[in-house]
Structure formats: structure tokens, C-alpha cells
Short mmCIF file of all heavy atoms in Angstrom, two decimals:
data_model
loop_
_atom_site.label_atom_id
_atom_site.label_comp_id
_atom_site.label_asym_id
_atom_site.label_seq_id
_atom_site.Cartn_x
_atom_site.Cartn_y
_atom_site.Cartn_z
N LEU A 578 -0.62 18.81 65.00
CA LEU A 578 -1.43 19.50 66.01
C LEU A 578 -2.80 19.92 65.49
O LEU A 578 -3.72 20.11 66.29
CB LEU A 578 -0.68 20.74 66.51
CG LEU A 578 0.71 20.48 67.11
CD1 LEU A 578 1.31 21.79 67.62
CD2 LEU A 578 0.63 19.45 68.24
N ASP A 579 -2.95 20.07 64.19
CA ASP A 579 -4.21 20.52 63.61
C ASP A 579 -4.86 19.40 62.80
O ASP A 579 -4.28 18.33 62.62
CB ASP A 579 -3.98 21.73 62.70
CG ASP A 579 -3.60 22.97 63.49
OD1 ASP A 579 -3.89 23.03 64.70
OD2 ASP A 579 -2.99 23.89 62.89
N SER A 580 -6.03 19.69 62.29
CA SER A 580 -6.69 18.76 61.38
C SER A 580 -5.87 18.63 60.11
O SER A 580 -4.98 19.44 59.83
CB SER A 580 -8.10 19.26 61.05
OG SER A 580 -8.89 19.35 62.22
N HIS A 581 -6.17 17.61 59.33
CA HIS A 581 -5.41 17.38 58.10
C HIS A 581 -5.40 18.62 57.21
O HIS A 581 -4.36 19.00 56.66
CB HIS A 581 -6.00 16.20 57.33
CG HIS A 581 -5.47 16.05 55.94
ND1 HIS A 581 -4.17 15.67 55.69
CD2 HIS A 581 -6.05 16.26 54.73
CE1 HIS A 581 -3.97 15.63 54.38
NE2 HIS A 581 -5.09 15.99 53.78
N SER A 582 -6.55 19.24 57.06
CA SER A 582 -6.67 20.46 56.24
C SER A 582 -7.88 21.23 56.74
O SER A 582 -8.58 20.80 57.67
CB SER A 582 -6.84 20.10 54.76
OG SER A 582 -8.11 19.50 54.54
N ASN A 583 -8.15 22.37 56.10
CA ASN A 583 -9.30 23.16 56.53
C ASN A 583 -10.63 22.47 56.21
O ASN A 583 -11.67 22.85 56.73
CB ASN A 583 -9.26 24.54 55.87
CG ASN A 583 -9.43 24.48 54.36
OD1 ASN A 583 -8.54 24.03 53.66
ND2 ASN A 583 -10.58 24.93 53.86
N SER A 584 -10.60 21.43 55.37
CA SER A 584 -11.84 20.71 55.04
C SER A 584 -12.02 19.46 55.90
O SER A 584 -12.88 18.64 55.63
CB SER A 584 -11.85 20.32 53.56
OG SER A 584 -10.76 19.46 53.27
N ASP A 585 -11.19 19.32 56.93
CA ASP A 585 -11.20 18.14 57.78
C ASP A 585 -11.36 18.57 59.24
O ASP A 585 -10.99 19.68 59.61
CB ASP A 585 -9.87 17.38 57.58
CG ASP A 585 -9.69 16.24 58.57
OD1 ASP A 585 -10.56 15.37 58.60
OD2 ASP A 585 -8.67 16.23 59.29
N SER A 586 -11.91 17.69 60.07
CA SER A 586 -11.96 17.94 61.51
C SER A 586 -11.41 16.71 62.23
O SER A 586 -12.03 15.64 62.20
CB SER A 586 -13.39 18.21 61.98
OG SER A 586 -13.42 18.29 63.41
N HIS A 587 -10.21 16.86 62.83
CA HIS A 587 -9.61 15.68 63.46
C HIS A 587 -10.32 15.27 64.75
O HIS A 587 -10.05 14.19 65.28
CB HIS A 587 -8.11 15.90 63.70
CG HIS A 587 -7.76 17.02 64.63
ND1 HIS A 587 -6.46 17.30 64.98
CD2 HIS A 587 -8.52 17.95 65.29
CE1 HIS A 587 -6.42 18.33 65.79
NE2 HIS A 587 -7.66 18.73 66.00
N LYS A 588 -11.25 16.07 65.22
CA LYS A 588 -11.99 15.69 66.41
C LYS A 588 -12.95 14.53 66.14
O LYS A 588 -13.44 13.89 67.08
CB LYS A 588 -12.77 16.89 66.95
CG LYS A 588 -11.86 17.99 67.51
CD LYS A 588 -12.65 19.15 68.08
CE LYS A 588 -11.71 20.21 68.64
NZ LYS A 588 -12.46 21.38 69.20
N LEU A 589 -13.17 14.26 64.84
CA LEU A 589 -14.02 13.13 64.47
C LEU A 589 -13.31 11.80 64.69
O LEU A 589 -13.97 10.77 64.87
CB LEU A 589 -14.43 13.24 63.00
CG LEU A 589 -15.35 14.40 62.62
CD1 LEU A 589 -15.55 14.46 61.11
CD2 LEU A 589 -16.71 14.25 63.32
N TYR A 590 -12.00 11.79 64.67
CA TYR A 590 -11.27 10.52 64.74
C TYR A 590 -10.14 10.52 65.77
O TYR A 590 -9.41 9.55 65.87
CB TYR A 590 -10.73 10.13 63.36
CG TYR A 590 -9.99 11.23 62.63
CD1 TYR A 590 -8.64 11.48 62.88
CD2 TYR A 590 -10.65 12.01 61.68
CE1 TYR A 590 -7.97 12.49 62.20
CE2 TYR A 590 -9.98 13.02 61.01
CZ TYR A 590 -8.64 13.26 61.26
OH TYR A 590 -7.98 14.26 60.61
N ARG A 591 -9.98 11.61 66.52
CA ARG A 591 -8.97 11.64 67.58
C ARG A 591 -9.67 11.95 68.90
O ARG A 591 -10.49 12.86 68.98
CB ARG A 591 -7.89 12.69 67.30
CG ARG A 591 -7.16 12.48 65.99
CD ARG A 591 -6.23 13.62 65.65
NE ARG A 591 -4.88 13.41 66.16
CZ ARG A 591 -3.85 14.21 65.88
NH1 ARG A 591 -4.04 15.30 65.14
NH2 ARG A 591 -2.66 13.95 66.37
N THR A 592 -9.34 11.20 69.91
CA THR A 592 -9.98 11.41 71.21
C THR A 592 -9.41 12.65 71.88
O THR A 592 -8.31 13.11 71.56
CB THR A 592 -9.76 10.19 72.12
OG1 THR A 592 -8.35 10.09 72.43
CG2 THR A 592 -10.23 8.91 71.45
N GLN A 593 -10.15 13.15 72.85
CA GLN A 593 -9.68 14.31 73.60
C GLN A 593 -8.40 13.99 74.36
O GLN A 593 -7.49 14.81 74.45
CB GLN A 593 -10.78 14.78 74.58
CG GLN A 593 -10.46 16.10 75.28
CD GLN A 593 -10.28 17.25 74.31
OE1 GLN A 593 -10.95 17.32 73.27
NE2 GLN A 593 -9.37 18.16 74.63
N ASP A 594 -8.32 12.76 74.88
CA ASP A 594 -7.10 12.36 75.59
C ASP A 594 -5.89 12.40 74.66
O ASP A 594 -4.80 12.84 75.05
CB ASP A 594 -7.26 10.95 76.16
CG ASP A 594 -8.21 10.92 77.35
OD1 ASP A 594 -8.49 12.01 77.91
OD2 ASP A 594 -8.68 9.82 77.71
N GLU A 595 -6.09 11.92 73.43
CA GLU A 595 -4.98 11.94 72.47
C GLU A 595 -4.57 13.37 72.15
O GLU A 595 -3.38 13.69 72.12
CB GLU A 595 -5.40 11.23 71.17
CG GLU A 595 -4.31 11.23 70.09
CD GLU A 595 -4.79 10.68 68.77
OE1 GLU A 595 -5.91 10.15 68.71
OE2 GLU A 595 -4.03 10.79 67.78
N LEU A 596 -5.54 14.24 71.92
CA LEU A 596 -5.24 15.63 71.59
C LEU A 596 -4.49 16.32 72.71
O LEU A 596 -3.61 17.16 72.47
CB LEU A 596 -6.53 16.38 71.26
CG LEU A 596 -7.26 15.96 69.98
CD1 LEU A 596 -8.59 16.68 69.86
CD2 LEU A 596 -6.40 16.23 68.75
N GLU A 597 -4.81 15.96 73.95
CA GLU A 597 -4.17 16.60 75.08
C GLU A 597 -2.73 16.13 75.30
O GLU A 597 -1.96 16.80 75.98
CB GLU A 597 -5.00 16.37 76.35
CG GLU A 597 -6.32 17.14 76.35
CD GLU A 597 -7.19 16.80 77.54
OE1 GLU A 597 -6.79 15.92 78.34
OE2 GLU A 597 -8.27 17.41 77.69
N THR A 598 -2.39 14.99 74.72
CA THR A 598 -1.02 14.48 74.90
C THR A 598 -0.07 14.89 73.78
O THR A 598 1.12 14.57 73.83
CB THR A 598 -1.03 12.94 74.98
OG1 THR A 598 -1.57 12.40 73.76
CG2 THR A 598 -1.87 12.46 76.17
N LEU A 599 -0.59 15.59 72.75
CA LEU A 599 0.27 16.01 71.65
C LEU A 599 1.30 17.02 72.13
O LEU A 599 1.02 17.89 72.95
CB LEU A 599 -0.57 16.63 70.53
CG LEU A 599 -1.64 15.74 69.88
CD1 LEU A 599 -2.42 16.52 68.83
CD2 LEU A 599 -1.01 14.50 69.26
N GLN A 600 2.50 16.89 71.58
CA GLN A 600 3.59 17.78 71.97
C GLN A 600 3.82 18.85 70.92
O GLN A 600 3.91 18.54 69.73
CB GLN A 600 4.89 16.99 72.18
CG GLN A 600 4.84 16.00 73.35
CD GLN A 600 6.19 15.39 73.62
OE1 GLN A 600 7.23 16.06 73.54
NE2 GLN A 600 6.21 14.11 73.96
N ASP A 601 3.96 20.08 71.38
CA ASP A 601 4.20 21.22 70.50
C ASP A 601 5.70 21.48 70.45
O ASP A 601 6.32 21.78 71.47
CB ASP A 601 3.47 22.45 71.04
CG ASP A 601 3.56 23.64 70.11
OD1 ASP A 601 4.54 23.73 69.34
OD2 ASP A 601 2.66 24.50 70.15
N PRO A 602 6.34 21.35 69.29
CA PRO A 602 7.79 21.53 69.21
C PRO A 602 8.23 22.95 69.57
O PRO A 602 9.34 23.13 70.09
CB PRO A 602 8.11 21.21 67.74
CG PRO A 602 6.83 21.45 67.01
CD PRO A 602 5.75 21.07 67.96
N ILE A 603 7.37 23.94 69.32
CA ILE A 603 7.74 25.31 69.67
C ILE A 603 7.77 25.47 71.18
O ILE A 603 8.71 26.05 71.75
CB ILE A 603 6.77 26.31 69.01
CG1 ILE A 603 6.90 26.25 67.49
CG2 ILE A 603 7.04 27.72 69.52
CD1 ILE A 603 5.99 27.20 66.74
N GLU A 604 6.77 24.95 71.86
CA GLU A 604 6.75 25.02 73.33
C GLU A 604 7.96 24.29 73.91
O GLU A 604 8.61 24.79 74.84
CB GLU A 604 5.45 24.43 73.86
CG GLU A 604 4.21 25.26 73.56
CD GLU A 604 2.95 24.62 74.13
OE1 GLU A 604 3.07 23.55 74.78
OE2 GLU A 604 1.86 25.18 73.93
N ASN A 605 8.25 23.12 73.37
CA ASN A 605 9.40 22.36 73.87
C ASN A 605 10.70 23.11 73.63
O ASN A 605 11.59 23.13 74.50
CB ASN A 605 9.47 20.99 73.19
CG ASN A 605 8.37 20.05 73.64
OD1 ASN A 605 7.71 20.29 74.65
ND2 ASN A 605 8.16 18.98 72.90
N TYR A 606 10.83 23.72 72.47
CA TYR A 606 12.08 24.41 72.14
C TYR A 606 12.23 25.69 72.97
O TYR A 606 13.33 26.02 73.42
CB TYR A 606 12.11 24.74 70.65
CG TYR A 606 13.46 25.23 70.18
CD1 TYR A 606 14.60 24.46 70.34
CD2 TYR A 606 13.59 26.49 69.57
CE1 TYR A 606 15.84 24.91 69.90
CE2 TYR A 606 14.82 26.94 69.13
CZ TYR A 606 15.94 26.14 69.30
OH TYR A 606 17.17 26.60 68.88
N VAL A 607 11.14 26.39 73.18
CA VAL A 607 11.18 27.59 74.02
C VAL A 607 11.59 27.21 75.44
O VAL A 607 12.42 27.89 76.07
CB VAL A 607 9.82 28.31 74.01
CG1 VAL A 607 9.75 29.35 75.13
CG2 VAL A 607 9.57 28.97 72.66
N ALA A 608 11.04 26.13 75.95
CA ALA A 608 11.43 25.67 77.29
C ALA A 608 12.92 25.35 77.34
O ALA A 608 13.61 25.67 78.32
CB ALA A 608 10.60 24.44 77.67
N TYR A 609 13.43 24.75 76.28
CA TYR A 609 14.86 24.42 76.20
C TYR A 609 15.70 25.70 76.21
O TYR A 609 16.71 25.80 76.93
CB TYR A 609 15.11 23.61 74.93
CG TYR A 609 16.54 23.53 74.48
CD1 TYR A 609 17.44 22.67 75.11
CD2 TYR A 609 17.01 24.31 73.42
CE1 TYR A 609 18.77 22.59 74.69
CE2 TYR A 609 18.32 24.24 72.99
CZ TYR A 609 19.20 23.39 73.63
OH TYR A 609 20.50 23.31 73.22
N LEU A 610 15.28 26.72 75.43
CA LEU A 610 16.03 27.97 75.36
C LEU A 610 15.97 28.72 76.69
O LEU A 610 16.96 29.32 77.13
CB LEU A 610 15.49 28.85 74.23
CG LEU A 610 15.71 28.34 72.80
CD1 LEU A 610 15.08 29.30 71.79
CD2 LEU A 610 17.20 28.18 72.50
#
């Protein structure tokens, strides 16, 4: 969900569409609970 490290910015190589489709396991698990 984040950049590789604090010295990196994944917005340089990941599109906004890709970032918006990422799944958060905590959100998914909370929904399940």
C-alpha cells in the first residue's frame, strides 16, 4: 500500500488507477468481522 521505503515515491511508477484498486487487508478483515 505504501512506497518501497521513506526514500521512495511509488507515485513515480504506479498509476492512480492502480493505487485505487489496491486492497487493504485490514479493511477486508474488518468487513468480514
Side-chain angles (χ1 to χ4, degrees):
L578 302 183
D579 290 339
S580 299
H581 169 69
S582 69
N583 66 289
S584 61
D585 172 57
S586 173
H587 62 178
K588 292 182 179 179
L589 294 174
Y590 49 84
R591 301 173 91 174
T592 66
Q593 187 61 35
D594 288 344
E595 179 187 352
L596 293 174
E597 290 175 357
T598 60
L599 300 178
Q600 295 188 38
D601 186 333
I603 295 180
E604 291 181 1
N605 289 345
Y606 190 58
V607 167
Y609 163 78
L610 293 178

